[in-house]
Amino acid sequence: MADNLFNTVYNPDVLSCLANLSNDEVFTPPDVVNKMLDMLPQELFRNPDTTFLDPACKTGVFLREIAKRLIKGLEPQIPDLQERIDHIFHYQLYAIAITELTSLLSRRGVYCSKYPNSEFSVTQFDDAEGNIRYRNIKHSWVNGKCKYCGISKSTVLGGGERGSTLESHAYEWIHTLKPEEIFKMKFDVIISNPPYQLNDGGNGVSAKPIFQHFVERAMKLNPRYLSMIIPARWYAGGKGLDDFRETMLNDNRVRKLFDYESSKDCFDGVNIAGGICYFLWERDNPGLCNIVNINRDTSVELERALNEFPILIRSNMAISIVHKVLSICKDVHSDHAYPRNPFGFATNYRGRTEKQAGDIEIITSVGTHYVPRSEVTKNTDIIDSYKILIGRLVPSNGELDVNPKDGYKVITDTRIIGPGQINTETYLDIGVFPTEKEAINFERFLHQKLPRFLLRQAISSLNVTRECFRFVPHEDYTQEWTDKKLYEKYRLTDEEIAFVENTIRPMDLSGGDTDAD
C-alpha cells in the first residue's frame, strides 16, 4: 500500500502549478527545490541519522523531495519500504507550517493525508499533526510594534482585535527567542523558502522585510548546513537589512550563492524587485563563496570573497570593470550626491499654485509649485546652484520585464533645475554645481553607458539612493565626457566594453531612449 500511495499520490505537477502564484509567500517549484538539494553533500541522503527541518513550510515540497532522495538512498540499509518510510517520516523530516491551511496542505503532500493518524497516511502517527506542526502564535507588542518581526500593531489589528480565523502572520520560527526548543533537537540541515515581507502600515506601498529573521534564527541553531531562497535585495542592504547584509558578507561559511537577476528565471511568472537568490551555508567548511549568476539560459560562475566591497556586486562579469574604475579614479560620486529629501519637503507636499513675494519654485510630483524661501530649512546653501534630478525609483517597475538583449536604462529621465528652484522627496538631487556648463556636462555623463552600468552594480531593489553611486567615478565636469573617453581612461578591454555596451540601453540627451522600447 505504501509503495502504491507514494508513487501515485506524489505529483510534482500540482506543486509546479502552485509555484506560479505570486505573493510575498512564494511557493517553491520542485525543480528549484532539487537544485537547492543538489548543493548539499549527497551522502546526507544515505545516512539514516540525518535530520532536516523546513521552518517555513507551505506545500511540503522540501520535505517531499528530501523524502524521495532518502527513500532511494537508505534502501541498502533499510530494505523494507514501509519500514524505511516510517523511519524517514518519524525521525528525519520536520517542519513548521506558516499557517493552518499550509499545515494541512503540507501534510497532504508529505504524508499523502492531511491527517497522518488516518488510515490513508503512508506512515502512521499517534496524532493528527505528525512532524509538521502549526501553532497560532501571537505578536508581542512593545510600543505599538512586535518585538520580534517589527510589524505595527495597527496594521495587524486594523482598529480592532482580529478574529481567530484571520491570519496574523506571527510565524512561530521568528516569534521566539529560543527556536531550538520548538522540537527540542538539533538539525543537520535547515532548508526553506521563508515569507519575504510584511506590510508595515505605509498606506499599502510600504513593506518590511522579514526573510532575514528566518535566516538569522536558523543560524542560531547552528546546523551543519543551511540553505534558503530569499530576495536578493539584501546585497545592498537598506530598509531593515543593513545588519543582515553585514552578517552575510562577513560570514565565510556562505559557500555557494546562486543569483537570479530576474526572479522569473527562478519562479516562472513571479516578479520580485531586485531578483532572487539561494545559498548554501556550511558550518564546518569556511572559505570563499562560489557565486553563480543565472540569466535566462546562461550562467557565469566565479569564486570570490563576499566582503570585498561594502555591498555585494552580483555580476561576476562586472568585477574586473569595477576594480579598474576604483583603482584609477580619485573620487566616487556617492560622496557628491545628496540623500533623499534634501530640502525637507515630502513627496506629497504641493506648495502654492501662485507665486508670492519671496517664493521660490518647488518641483513636485504633479508639477511646479511655489514655497517661501524662508520655509526651506535644509541645504539652503544649494538653493541657488544648478541641480540634476532623477527619480528615486528604477524605471519601469525595476525593469523586471526588460529583455536583457534590449539593455537596461537604469535611471529615469534626468532634469536640470537652476538657481531659485528646489524639489520634493520625489526626486534625488544627484549632482549640484555652481555653473550651468558643469550641470549640463554631468547630465550628459549620466546618459553615457559606463556610469549607468556602474550604478546598476549597486542597485538591488526598486530604489536608487546616493549610496548606489559608490562605484561611479566623479569626474571633472568642466569638460564633456563620452563613453569612448571613459573606456580609454579606465583601460577597459574590448570584451569589457562589449559587456557594458550589451548590458546598458542607449539614452539620448533629451533623457529618452535612442532605441524604441
Side-chain angles (χ1 to χ4, degrees):
M1 174 182 174
D3 191 10
N4 181 58
L5 276 172
F6 186 82
N7 287 305
T8 59
V9 178
Y10 271 36
N11 186 350
D13 291 338
V14 174
L15 297 183
S16 294
C17 294
L18 286 173
N20 289 327
L21 297 175
S22 176
N23 54 44
D24 294 332
E25 295 167 358
V26 180
F27 291 99
T28 319
D31 66 309
V32 175
V33 172
N34 279 293
K35 289 175 182 177
M36 295 172 68
L37 294 178
D38 287 343
M39 295 191 299
L40 295 166
Q42 295 306 292
E43 59 265 25
L44 292 170
F45 304 104
R46 297 189 291 271
N47 186 341
D49 297 321
T50 305
T51 52
F52 300 83
L53 171 68
D54 178 355
C57 197
K58 294 185 283 293
T59 64
V61 62
F62 282 98
L63 297 193
R64 192 202 70 186
E65 296 304 315
I66 292 169
K68 291 167 70 174
R69 295 190 183 212
L70 288 170
I71 286 172
K72 181 178 179 180
L74 296 181
E75 185 174 8
Q77 300 177 64
I78 311 177
D80 181 78
L81 177 60
Q82 186 60 59
E83 181 182 352
R84 194 157 71 247
I85 288 175
D86 290 341
H87 175 84
I88 291 168
F89 289 154
H90 282 257
Y91 302 109
Q92 294 189 268
L93 302 182
Y94 299 82
I96 302 170
I98 60 172
T99 66
E100 184 174 12
L101 177 62
T102 60
S103 73
L104 298 175
L105 179 62
S106 297
R107 294 184 196 116
R108 180 67 177 86
V110 175
Y111 305 133
C112 302
S113 171
K114 60 184 179 181
Y115 302 117
N117 59 351
S118 76
E119 61 179 307
F120 301 106
S121 177
V122 295
T123 187
Q124 291 293 310
F125 283 86
D126 294 331
D127 56 48
E129 186 174 67
N131 284 344
I132 301 176
R133 66 180 270 151
Y134 170 73
R135 299 292 184 272
N136 185 13
I137 304 297
K138 304 297 183 183
H139 291 282
S140 296
W141 306 117
V142 177
N143 298 324
K145 291 186 178 294
C146 177
K147 70 178 183 179
Y148 292 111
C149 68
I151 192 173
S152 68
K153 187 174 183 178
S154 60
T155 298
V156 173
L157 300 183
E161 292 295 330
R162 291 163 66 94
S164 60
T165 60
L166 296 178
E167 177 56 43
S168 66
H169 304 291
Y171 305 114
E172 183 178 14
W173 183 246
I174 63 173
H175 283 76
T176 175
L177 292 175
K178 297 181 178 180
E180 67 274 9
E181 293 186 357
I182 294 177
F183 283 105
K184 299 186 184 303
M185 62 182 294
K186 291 282 188 180
F187 292 95
D188 296 297
V189 179
I190 298 178
I191 186 167
S192 192
N193 178 11
Y196 297 158
Q197 61 189 32
L198 288 174
N199 186 321
D200 62 4
N203 296 322
V205 298
S206 183
K208 184 179 185 65
I210 60 168
F211 63 86
Q212 73 277 16
H213 299 315
F214 283 83
V215 178
E216 292 163 345
R217 290 301 168 89
M219 288 179 173
K220 185 176 181 180
L221 259 67
N222 202 31
R224 291 171 60 196
Y225 302 95
L226 166 63
S227 182
M228 289 197 182
I229 184 164
I230 57 178
R233 70 188 74 156
W234 67 266
Y235 295 171
K239 190 172 186 176
L241 294 173
D242 287 340
D243 290 342
F244 179 69
R245 175 196 61 195
E246 292 298 313
T247 297
M248 292 291 284
L249 294 186
N250 292 293
D251 193 335
N252 61 0
R253 293 168 294 182
V254 181
R255 297 303 311 278
K256 296 179 182 179
L257 179 68
F258 284 78
D259 168 65
Y260 294 82
E261 189 170 335
S262 171
S263 60
K264 293 189 293 185
D265 289 340
C266 185
F267 297 129
D268 187 27
V270 178
N271 278 344
I272 298 171
I276 203 82
C277 70
Y278 55 83
F279 66 89
L280 177 65
W281 180 92
E282 301 184 49
R283 183 189 66 194
D284 304 323
N285 186 31
L288 296 176
C289 183
N290 188 54
I291 299 177
V292 182
N293 302 135
I294 301 172
N295 196 327
R296 300 293 172 94
D297 297 324
T298 65
S299 64
V300 179
E301 186 172 343
L302 183 66
E303 189 174 65
R304 52 190 172 100
L306 289 178
N307 63 354
E308 181 179 7
F309 299 103
I311 65 172
L312 178 64
I313 296 178
R314 73 191 312 165
S315 170
N316 290 326
M317 290 285 289
I319 288 291
S320 64
I321 298 173
V322 172
H323 281 164
K324 286 184 176 181
V325 171
L326 294 183
S327 67
I328 295 173
C329 78
K330 297 179 180 179
D331 200 3
V332 291
H333 195 72
S334 55
D335 294 334
H336 298 269
Y338 280 74
R340 59 186 287 183
N341 199 6
F343 299 104
F345 296 96
T347 296
N348 60 0
Y349 181 83
R350 294 294 177 260
R352 292 198 277 248
T353 57
E354 295 185 5
K355 188 175 183 179
Q356 299 182 17
D359 282 359
I360 57 175
E361 293 183 359
I362 183 167
I363 311 304
T364 75
S365 60
V366 293
T368 300
H369 291 171
Y370 303 94
V371 62
R373 181 184 285 259
S374 60
E375 289 188 10
V376 183
T377 58
K378 296 171 60 178
N379 297 308
T380 56
D381 57 313
I382 65 170
I383 292 176
D384 293 317
S385 299
Y386 291 88
K387 299 161 284 285
I388 295 82
L389 309 183
I390 61 171
R392 291 193 293 110
L393 300 178
V394 177
S396 303
N397 192 32
E399 301 191 293
L400 295 172
D401 295 317
V402 169
N403 186 332
K405 294 186 301 182
D406 297 330
Y408 297 91
K409 187 178 177 184
V410 185
I411 60 173
T412 59
D413 296 345
T414 56
R415 177 175 181 176
I416 297 177
I417 62 174
Q421 293 180 306
I422 62 172
N423 53 277
T424 67
E425 190 182 12
T426 299
Y427 304 95
L428 277 181
D429 292 69
I430 210 61
V432 176
F433 298 95
T435 68
E436 185 177 19
K437 177 182 179 181
E438 291 172 281
I440 291 172
N441 285 340
F442 176 68
E443 183 180 38
R444 289 173 175 170
F445 169 81
L446 281 183
H447 290 201
Q448 304 307 303
K449 288 189 174 183
L450 182 59
R452 287 183 287 132
F453 174 87
L454 294 166
L455 172 61
R456 191 167 187 270
Q457 305 315 309
I459 295 175
S460 61
S461 68
L462 286 173
N463 298 297
V464 181
T465 67
R466 174 176 64 173
E467 290 73 23
C468 292
F469 286 79
R470 66 176 73 239
F471 303 131
V472 178
H474 184 75
E475 307 290 356
D476 173 12
Y477 297 109
T478 60
Q479 62 175 298
E480 186 175 340
W481 290 93
T482 65
D483 274 321
K484 185 176 185 299
K485 289 175 65 174
L486 291 168
Y487 294 152
E488 290 175 353
K489 176 176 179 177
Y490 295 107
R491 304 168 192 166
L492 269 57
T493 66
D494 290 343
E495 182 182 15
E496 290 167 338
I497 292 172
F499 182 53
V500 174
E501 290 286 328
N502 292 332
T503 301
I504 304 300
R505 179 183 304 182
M507 190 173 175
D508 66 24
L509 294 180
S510 68
D513 302 331
T514 58
D515 297 329
D517 289 342

